[in-house]
Amino acid sequence: MTQRPRPLVAGNWKMNGLRDSLGEVSSICAAVARDGAGTAEIVICPPATLLMAAAAISEGSPVALGGQDCHNEPSGPYTGDISAEMLRDAGAAYVIVGHSERRSGYNEGNASVHEKAAAAFRAGLTAIVCVGETKAEREAGDALTVVGSQLAGSIPKISSAESIVIAYEPVWAIGSGLTPAPQDIADMHGFIRGRANQHLPGQGAQLRILYGGSVKPTNAAQLLGIKDVDGALVGGASLSSAEFMAIARIYR
Ligand code: 13P
């Protein structure tokens, strides 16, 4: 039997968090040091302004950090942007790319997400590539087609199962309290693994495929127990170390 990949529970703080919030990073590191994280790898993606301070706190801890987006170039005249190299320099090991809030709010298409994922690879970061359908696309029966073309367009050929993570985040489940039916999640994750096996031949089984969208301590056991779900990308509930760790501890 093929060995399952190590689960990953990642917190995406989005545009939340001032220096006061660094206490949550300390609490997560302390909880992991005290109880262990179970079998899951833990990643916190705070806003870029907090990365260096968070890195100082998490130094020596197995808790890893990630950025929430990156530019595809290593440096240059791109006012306001942050490169994958800069994130790495600040202490990140991961970067989220292609989150639906960036796809819709900043018109990021698959080609742009592909370039960002390649930039992450160049900088030695693991890219967490987000895919997911809108409510209208699901209702039209197009969820698999939409996610299939996002995968085809967004994953660089240079990737390996270790250098990339896929997060399936149905747009309509983000921040809404809604989640897809367990069978729909299982179908989508199985579909993603099959497609990944074509993009990264023979590596599909090792790829980590996270579910994201309204993951809470109350539904985490059910969601993380679904076939082909290798962890979670958590938004709102990751802002509280207690809630975030309650989700991560499902993997005890
Ligand atoms: P919520 O967990 O707040 O629904 O957000 C999910 C998400 O967008 C994580 O990237």
Side-chain angles (χ1 to χ4, degrees), residues 122-144:
R122 180 191 66 220
L125 300 177
T126 300
I128 302 177
V129 180
C130 301
V131 295
E133 82 286 355
T134 62
K135 186 85 184 151
E137 288 163 344
R138 173 150 294 272
E139 283 171 357
D142 292 338
L144 295 182

Side-chain angles (χ1 to χ4, degrees), residues 12 14 99 101 169 173-176 212-216 233-237:
N12 174 9
K14 308 190 180 185
H99 192 282
E101 286 152 14
E169 299 205 304
I174 295 174
S176 65
S214 297
V215 179
K216 306 288 174 202
L233 182 54
V234 185

